[in-house]
Amino acid sequence: MTSLNETHNPALKSWLASANAADCDFPIQNLPFAVFRRKGSTEAFRCGVAIGDQILDLAAVAKAGIFTGDTGKTVQAGAQDKLNALMALGQPAWSSLRLVLSRALREGAAEEATLQLCLLPQAQAEYDVPARIGDYTDFYTSVHHATNIGKQFRPDNPLLPNYKWVPIGYHGRASSIGVSGQQFRRPVGQTMPPGATEPTLGACKRLDIELELGIFIGSGNAQGEAVDITEAEDHVFGICLLNDWSARDIQGWEYQPLGPFLSKSFASTVSPWVVTLEALAPYRVAFTRPAEDPQPMAYLDSTGNRSGGAFDIQLQVGLQTPQMRAAGQSDASICRTSYRHAYWTVAQMVTHHTVNGCNLQPGDLFGSGTLSGPTLDQAGALIELTTGGKNPIALPNGEQRTWLEDGDSVVLRGWCEREGVTRIGFGECVGTVLPARLPKGA
Ligand code: CA
C-alpha cells in the first residue's frame, strides 16, 4: 500500500504557474497519465502527464534524453501509444517516475528549460482510451445501489443473500469503451413492453447512466496464482471516471438467466486521465463494516485494507440537455456522492477476481459498479434518482428528465479535497447520446 512521501507535500509548487491554482485538478501532487495527441492532427498518440493546464509529453521527454537508467526506460515505455507498457513495469517503476517528475516539475528544478519544450496545452489536445483493454469486468460494489435496485423488484427482500459475502461482478465488453467526448447511438434491442405478450425490436426507451470509477490493472498475475490481499494494490495502476451507460428496458427482458448482455455492451465512457493510487494516498480512509453485517472472509481481509483500503473520492454527475446547450447553459448537477461509501474495496476486487486463478493483464479495466451513496440525492443512476422512472427529476431550466433523451450530454467529475492536503482532480468524463438508427423491420 502506497504511503505518504515527499511527492504529497502540500507545500510543493511547480514552476508552471497554472499547476499552483487552488482549484486546479492537476497540481504537482497529482501527476495522472493519459494518451493524447495534438487536436485534429494525424500525429501518433503517446502518453502524457497532466500538470496544471498542460500535458507533459513523455515521448518528447524520452527524446530529450534527460533521464537515464531505469527512469529513462520507464519514460521510454511512456512514449508508446497506450499506457500498457508503462502499466506492465509495475508499481516500483511508476513510483520512481512519479518522484523524478515531481522533482523535475518543482520550482527551481534544473530540468525546467528542457521540460518547457515538452508541454502541450490541454486545450489543444485530443485523447484516446488510455490503455488497450484486454478484459473489462464490471463489479457491483455499492450496497446502496444494490439495495435501491433490489427494492424495485423485491420490496421485502431487496438485497440478495450473497451480496454481503461475495464481491458481485460480471464480464463486460471492452471493444465499445470510448474516451471522454464519446458520442454513441441510442441502442436498439428487444424489449417486452408492460402488458405485451410478444417482445418488440426498437430504440431503447429507458436509457440510463451509471456513475462509476474505472480501475486500471497495472502488472498482471500468472494464471493459477491468486493475488493476496496484502499485495493486491501493487497490481493496480490507477483510477479513472467511468460512465457505464445502461439500457434498462433491454436489460429487463434479456438478463435472466445469464445476466446483462446487449443492454450494457453498446458503449461505456472513461475519462482520459488515470490517477495513480500513489497520488490518492492522502485520501485513504478506513474500510469499515456495520457491526451487524458479516465481516469479510479471511482472504478479503487485511490490516491495511481495514485501516486505509477505501478512498474518499468526491463524485458528481452533470446533465446538459440540447435546450440547455442551445441557451449556453452548462450542465446541471443531478448527483453528488463519494467513493467512500462502497461496500468492497479496490484490493478486495483484485483479490476476489483472482482467487479462482484467473489471470489479470496490464490494461484490464474494472468498473466499480454504480456508486450510490446512502441517500437518494447521492444515487448514481437515473433508475434510482427517478425511482424506476416514476418521479422525473426537475432541471434548473424547467425541463424534466426520467431517462436520457437524444442529444443529452452527461458529465462525470471526480476530485479529492481535505483540510491540510492539496486538492487533486480527475478532470471530466463526457458522453453524448445520438438518435438511434433503426434496423429494417423495427
Ligand atoms: Ca455497471
Side-chain angles (χ1 to χ4, degrees), residues 225-418:
E225 289 183 17
V227 176
D228 190 88
I229 190 157
T230 57
E231 289 161 13
E233 285 189 354
D234 293 343
H235 292 265
V236 176
F237 181 78
I239 297 182
C240 67
L241 303 168
L242 167 65
N243 192 342
D244 192 28
W245 313 88
S246 293
R248 302 293 181 198
D249 47 353
I250 297 171
Q251 187 171 353
W253 171 234
E254 75 172 7
Y255 86 104
Q256 287 176 319
L258 288 187
F261 182 33
L262 303 185
S263 56
K264 300 295 306 174
S265 59
F266 56 94
S268 303
T269 312
V270 292
S271 59
W273 294 107
V274 184
V275 177
T276 61
L277 290 199
E278 187 168 355
L280 291 165
Y283 296 99
R284 288 181 176 279
V285 287
F287 162 79
T288 51
R289 275 284 164 81
E292 64 274 21
D293 281 13
Q295 295 304 302
M297 290 170 72
Y299 80 104
L300 296 175
D301 189 22
S302 76
T303 348
N305 192 60
R306 284 186 199 189
S307 63
F311 294 94
D312 190 19
I313 301 172
Q314 308 303 314
L315 298 165
Q316 191 221 355
V317 182
L319 175 63
Q320 188 192 45
T321 67
Q323 197 177 309
M324 291 161 74
R325 195 175 305 122
Q329 294 162 348
S330 62
D331 58 284
S333 178
I334 58 169
C335 161
R336 187 58 188 85
T337 187
S338 164
Y339 184 39
R340 69 182 302 155
H341 302 301
Y343 199 78
W344 299 101
T345 64
V346 169
Q348 287 169 327
M349 282 189 259
V350 170
T351 293
H352 182 68
H353 203 307
T354 61
V355 73
N356 67 343
C358 172
N359 48 324
L360 303 176
Q361 302 185 92
D364 282 358
L365 181 70
F366 292 179
S368 61
T370 306
L371 291 172
S372 298
T375 59
L376 203 56
D377 58 328
Q378 298 176 62
L382 290 171
I383 191 170
E384 294 164 78
L385 293 167
T386 66
T387 321
K390 288 202 269 291
N391 307 308
I393 50 173
L395 299 171
N397 68 348
E399 284 185 282
Q400 290 192 335
R401 278 293 182 276
T402 308
W403 306 103
L404 294 175
E405 296 186 11
D406 291 346
D408 284 354
S409 291
V410 176
V411 188
L412 308 187
R413 295 186 182 87
W415 68 95
C416 301
E417 57 189 353
R418 190 158 59 81

Side-chain angles (χ1 to χ4, degrees), residues 138 210 212 244 264 369:
D138 194 18
E210 288 190 342
E212 302 197 22
D244 192 28
K264 300 295 306 174

